[in-house]
Amino acid sequence: MHDSRRSLVVCRSGRNWELRRLLLLFVPVLTMLIGCTSAMAQQTRMYFIAAVDVDWDYAPTGINQISGAAFGETENVFVHSGKERIGKVYQKAAYREFTDGAFTTLKPVDPRWEHLGIMGPVIRAEVGDTIQVVFKNMTGFPASMHPHGVLYAKSSEGTPYNDGTSGSDKADDAVPPDGTHTYIWLVPERAGPGPMDGSSLAWMYHSHTDEPKDTNTGLIGPLIITRKGSANPDGSPKDIDREFVTLFTVFDENASHYLEQNVERFTSKPRRVLKKRLEDEDFRESNLMHVVNGYVYGNLPGLTMKQGERVRWYLQAYGTEVDLHTPHWHGQTALIMGMRMDMVELLPGSMKTADMTPDVPGTWLYHCHVNDHIDAGMMALFTVTE
Ligand SMILES: [Cu+2]
């Protein structure tokens, strides 16, 4: 008994030694393999995005979807087109994704992102990746792409100011009509979720050549970063079933690059408006479009989810001192910064994340809780299916 135990021990250590020798032989191969996988995980994500002109309809269904009724006096302040009113369709600019650098074929929008509306495409990355955006300006005014959060050199900041740069470091600041520029943004740890964040967070990108005018004209989009190791191959967070990005802002069409074009194209007395009405208080009021993703009075499509799904909402706001927004969900609650809420506070430039597991099926109201903004149409509907 004793002997056989001893021989067993000898035999085991003999095997261990052989195993170790084998492992030592495989070390270089293993190192190579590990190196390859981490190189694969750190990828360059390419985007071809153009700023394009669009005729944007703020209420394409033509009715107030919240009341289910035709537009009345309150809504018509903003949506009615007439002698001295532009109405609900404005020429705007938007970021749109193309299939390649020829910029001739628009990339089809995934139905999951239909709700982005006026916003540009989602730019995604996992911490460790590099984002490369080939940008073409197809609008009639100089524009740029300025990102939040990620790491960039001066040649990829997209903002002109007295920062001591010159030459090629300035090419990104104001891409002229028909011009192109390639922006390179790195995604180090500090561009990704912090200790209190979930597996992903959203930054914004927008034109910053003339920031107030560019963003009022529509050049705005989301940039989503997922924690290292938490992303699917497409960059989306593994632990989330569905993501929504919602933007709350009052688009001030009086401050758009295209105000004059809009007066000429969409009012029936453009000369009178251009001569006498641009400073008129009622005219200016009619051009304040209180939107969620570019839609008023419940016209935002695509906010559909299933009961029990892990849903992540990214909320953003732009604008000026009237742009304090308090998006509120009916019927559900969400976790925001670890706290249970059904409402989020946003100021211009805010970016917040809310995680929701919708548990009650139905069609629900999602609206800004500021009274003046409710009247002006900053409301949407979302649907939870069984
Ligand atoms: Cu609001």
Side-chain angles (χ1 to χ4, degrees), residues 58-88:
Y58 283 100
T61 69
I63 65 162
N64 183 336
Q65 291 290 343
I66 306 296
S67 64
F71 290 133
E73 202 182 333
T74 311
E75 297 97 323
N76 279 332
V77 169
F78 307 99
V79 299
H80 177 70
S81 176
K83 284 181 185 165
E84 300 184 1
R85 292 291 180 269
I86 293 167
K88 67 189 180 75

Side-chain angles (χ1 to χ4, degrees), residues 51 95 135 137 139-147 157-162 170-177 181 183 205-217 219-220 257:
Y95 291 116
F135 170 64
N137 184 5
T139 72
F141 57 92
S144 73
M145 287 183 80
H146 166 69
E157 183 180 8
T159 317
Y161 59 104
N162 184 21
K170 280 270 170 243
D172 58 305
D173 295 345
V175 180
H181 183 78
Y183 293 88
Y205 66 87
H206 56 86
S207 180
H208 206 317
T209 303
D210 180 341
E211 203 274 355
K213 271 197 159 182
D214 298 351
T215 53
N216 276 312
T217 307
L219 293 180
I220 287 170
H257 285 283

Side-chain angles (χ1 to χ4, degrees), residues 345-367:
E345 300 101 342
L346 299 176
L347 291 172
S350 290
M351 294 160 271
K352 291 187 177 174
T353 304
D355 283 349
M356 172 188 288
T357 306
D359 52 3
V360 194
T363 292
W364 301 99
L365 193 57
Y366 176 45
H367 68 96

Side-chain angles (χ1 to χ4, degrees), residues 191-310:
M196 304 289 278
D197 282 307
S199 53
S200 63
L201 55 72
W203 304 102
M204 36 175 72
Y205 66 87
H206 56 86
S207 180
H208 206 317
T209 303
D210 180 341
E211 203 274 355
K213 271 197 159 182
D214 298 351
T215 53
N216 276 312
T217 307
L219 293 180
I220 287 170
L223 172 53
I224 300 178
I225 307 294
T226 304
R227 183 176 281 125
K228 193 167 182 58
S230 300
N232 293 309
D234 70 352
S236 61
K238 285 179 193 166
D239 61 343
I240 293 296
D241 301 312
R242 201 178 287 272
E243 298 163 281
F244 297 108
V245 184
T246 50
L247 156 76
F248 289 77
T249 191
V250 181
F251 275 129
D252 182 358
E253 292 288 352
N254 303 293
S256 163
H257 285 283
Y258 292 139
L259 174 63
E260 289 189 10
Q261 283 96 318
N262 284 324
V263 169
E264 274 162 14
R265 292 183 58 200
F266 302 114
T267 68
S268 55
K269 298 278 181 201
R271 254 181 283 165
R272 191 159 85 193
V273 177
L274 289 173
K275 255 190 186 166
K276 295 181 177 169
R277 293 284 182 262
L278 290 185
E279 297 308 316
D280 177 85
E281 216 171 284
D282 290 342
F283 174 74
R284 293 185 72 81
E285 170 77 9
S286 75
N287 294 322
L288 299 177
M289 305 308 285
H290 295 61
V291 301
V292 187
N293 294 7
Y295 295 102
V296 295
Y297 299 110
N299 275 255
L300 166 53
L303 294 182
T304 304
M305 64 210 77
K306 290 182 187 144
Q307 186 182 18
E309 276 185 326
R310 296 161 302 176

Side-chain angles (χ1 to χ4, degrees), residues 324-326 368 370 373 378:
L324 47 105
H325 304 297
T326 49
C368 178
V370 176
H373 298 177
M378 195 174 272

Side-chain angles (χ1 to χ4, degrees), residues 6-25:
R6 261 185 70 189
S7 66
L8 198 68
V9 169
V10 170
C11 182
R12 268 188 185 159
S13 42
R15 265 193 206 150
N16 276 351
W17 188 84
E18 273 170 23
L19 258 175
R20 267 182 220 150
R21 243 179 52 166
L22 258 172
L23 272 176
L24 277 173
L25 279 171

